[in-house]
Amino acid sequence: DQQVKQNSPSLSVQEGRISILNCDYTNSMFDYFLWYKKYPAEGPTFLISISSIKDKNEDGRFTVFLNKSAKHLSLHIVPSQPGDSAVYFCAASARNQGGKLIFGQGTELSVKP
Amino acid sequence: KAGVTQTPRYLIKTRGQQVTLSCSPISGHRSVSWYQQTPGQGLQFLFEYFSETQRNKGNFPGRFSGRQFSNSRSEMNVSTLELGDSALYLCASSLTGGSNEQFFGPGTRLTVL
């Protein structure tokens, strides 16, 4: 069963505009969420995280929003840059699961100049 | 601070052989998690080690095993390799696991012929 879902396999955005990547989860025990950026044949790069006690976290151009009642989180990138083109994964962990991350299937973002 | 390192970066093995992959975490990190990435299954959690003990385990057969040393370096072993074990194997380290960011290494690309 897919506990973390990214329903959009791909997203195309114009440079300078906002990119919004979405993620849904089903397990109410998840209490920590992360976004990673990945290039082919490389390890994921950590972008930003959010604890379930918050509903928003910002870091530069990246903002993550968490809606616990809807079991939904989103990553906003503003403004989008061509260098942001990559696959983005959301991941979740539960308090009693230590360092076990459950990943979504990823969304490939393409930012066009 | 040096990042997570993994060796070797590439491996080619034949069915039935066994393989050992190595991971050196970021200095001071005590939790090491291993993940398998394949095109069909995405990023899947294998296991996590913390203070030389396996703390969590994913849904993989017993052919997949690991260990962690007193300096937090970790190895994973796959015995009796199958074609389906061809994948990118990633390790990630964090301070203590749980609600901590995990930082990934570049991965080991394993090809089983």
Side-chain angles (χ1 to χ4, degrees):
Chain A
D1 64 338
Q2 192 80 25
Q3 296 186 65
V4 179
K5 296 181 185 179
Q6 294 175 256
N7 291 318
S8 299
S10 63
L11 174 68
S12 184
V13 170
Q14 206 68 30
E15 181 180 7
R17 307 295 290 267
I18 184 171
S19 295
I20 300 177
L21 298 105
N22 294 302
C23 180
D24 297 295
Y25 62 96
T26 58
N27 189 340
S28 57
M29 297 298 291
F30 288 149
D31 65 347
Y32 195 66
F33 303 88
L34 308 91
W35 283 94
Y36 286 88
K37 173 182 177 180
K38 189 178 186 301
Y39 296 111
E42 292 184 12
T45 299
F46 169 75
L47 285 174
I48 192 168
S49 61
I50 189 167
S51 163
S52 61
I53 63 173
K54 294 185 174 182
D55 53 21
K56 178 182 173 182
N57 189 27
E58 283 182 86
D59 185 1
R61 296 186 299 117
F62 302 94
T63 303
V64 56
F65 295 92
L66 175 62
N67 183 333
K68 288 186 290 295
S69 60
K71 292 191 175 67
H72 177 84
L73 63 154
S74 61
L75 174 68
H76 293 209
I77 306 174
V78 184
S80 301
Q81 301 172 352
D84 295 331
S85 297
V87 178
Y88 288 77
F89 290 92
C90 69
S93 71
R95 190 178 300 111
N96 64 346
Q97 292 286 291
K100 176 180 180 179
L101 291 180
I102 305 298
F103 281 86
Q105 292 295 95
T107 296
E108 184 170 10
L109 173 65
S110 175
V111 180
K112 301 192 183 305
Chain B
K1 233 183 209 182
V4 179
T5 58
Q6 291 187 246
T7 56
R9 292 295 310 277
Y10 303 93
L11 264 180
I12 299 176
K13 293 284 187 179
T14 56
R15 280 180 298 174
Q17 288 187 308
Q18 67 95 25
V19 67
T20 299
L21 312 181
S22 181
C23 172
S24 292
I26 292 170
S27 177
H29 285 193
R30 295 167 60 194
S31 168
V32 173
S33 297
W34 288 89
Y35 297 85
Q36 180 197 64
Q37 186 184 24
T38 59
Q41 299 297 319
L43 274 153
Q44 292 193 291
F45 173 79
L46 280 156
F47 31 64
E48 181 213 4
Y49 285 86
F50 179 78
S51 293
E52 302 178 65
T53 302
Q54 187 180 86
R55 185 160 67 173
N56 281 292
K57 190 175 190 307
N59 296 323
F60 280 82
R63 299 185 297 107
F64 292 82
S65 63
R67 59 178 176 168
Q68 187 180 33
F69 302 94
S70 58
N71 61 358
S72 294
R73 190 177 70 83
S74 177
E75 290 180 345
M76 69 163 279
N77 184 277
V78 189
S79 62
T80 320
L81 284 165
E82 300 177 359
L83 295 179
D85 297 332
S86 294
L88 180 66
Y89 289 89
L90 294 156
C91 86
S93 78
S94 68
L95 281 169
T96 59
S99 299
N100 296 139
E101 294 82 6
Q102 291 189 19
F103 297 92
F104 283 80
T108 294
R109 169 67 64 183
L110 172 65
T111 302
V112 182
L113 302 175

